[in-house]
């Protein structure tokens, strides 16, 4: 654990030494470029350490993180990330990874003025609105919170399908495949929700379909 700025740079020196002791050309190889097969979209939460919990090596996963792992259509950041990942890196998989005990999801359940977060969390509150009937049947608060985390992942997977760059690559190559995951921060387990996004999206997908536009 780095407690001071100095320690962070000391840790970095130690990390370099470790990498070089395993492979003297580690950074030579790293500097040649990246060829990741996965785009991972997860929460900014400091406990959800993407590469670490997946046991991934540098170069393997293209990563985007924001509060509550949202795919907001007007967010130019995520649109640029998705376009780059799909068109240039040609990733085979896009993963949306939510996590239990997500502060963003919790905040969305509590009506209050949170400044800039009001706008951001509106997407989450819309997920609640879409699934209000199911969520309000769950009497236990913690179980309802967990379910909203899962439904949020599902809805963000659907938002990925709406993106033109994703659709265009799909029609061309059949990729990328979309996956919805949860990181269970209580025991460290990564859970694949095994969502069939096209099935869930269903008939209404036709109005989002960009194919007629070429
Ligand atoms: Co979170």
């Amino acid at each position: 654990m780095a407690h001071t700025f100095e320690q962070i740079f000391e840790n970095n020196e130690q990390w370099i030494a470790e990498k070089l002791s395993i492979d003297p050309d580690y950074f030579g190889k790293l500097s040649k470029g990246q060829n990741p097969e996965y785009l991972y979209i997860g929460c900014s939460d400091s406990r959800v350490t993407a590469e670490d919990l997946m046991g991934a090596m540098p170069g393997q996963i293209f990563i985007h993180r924001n509060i509550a792992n949202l795919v907001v259509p007007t967010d130019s950041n995520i649109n640029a990330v998705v376009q780059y990942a799909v068109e240039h890196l040609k990733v085979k998989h896009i993963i949306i990874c939510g996590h239990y005990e997500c502060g963003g999801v919790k905040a969305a359940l509590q009506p209050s003025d949170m400044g800039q977060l009001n706008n951001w969390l509106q997407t989450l509150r819309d997920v609640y609105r879409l699934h209000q009937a199911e969520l309000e049947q769950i009497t236990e608060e913690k179980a309802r919170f967990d379910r909203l985390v899962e439904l949020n992942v599902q809805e963000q997977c659907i938002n990925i399908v709406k993106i033109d760059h994703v659709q265009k690559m799909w029609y061309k190559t059949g990729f990328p495949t979309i996956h919805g995951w949860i990181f269970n921060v209580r025991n460290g387990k990564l859970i694949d929700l095994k969502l069939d996004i096209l099935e869930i999206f269903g008939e209404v997908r036709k109005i989002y379909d960009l194919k007629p536009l070429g």
Side-chain angles (χ1 to χ4, degrees), residues 43 45 99 102:
C43 185
D45 193 305
H99 68 103
C102 182

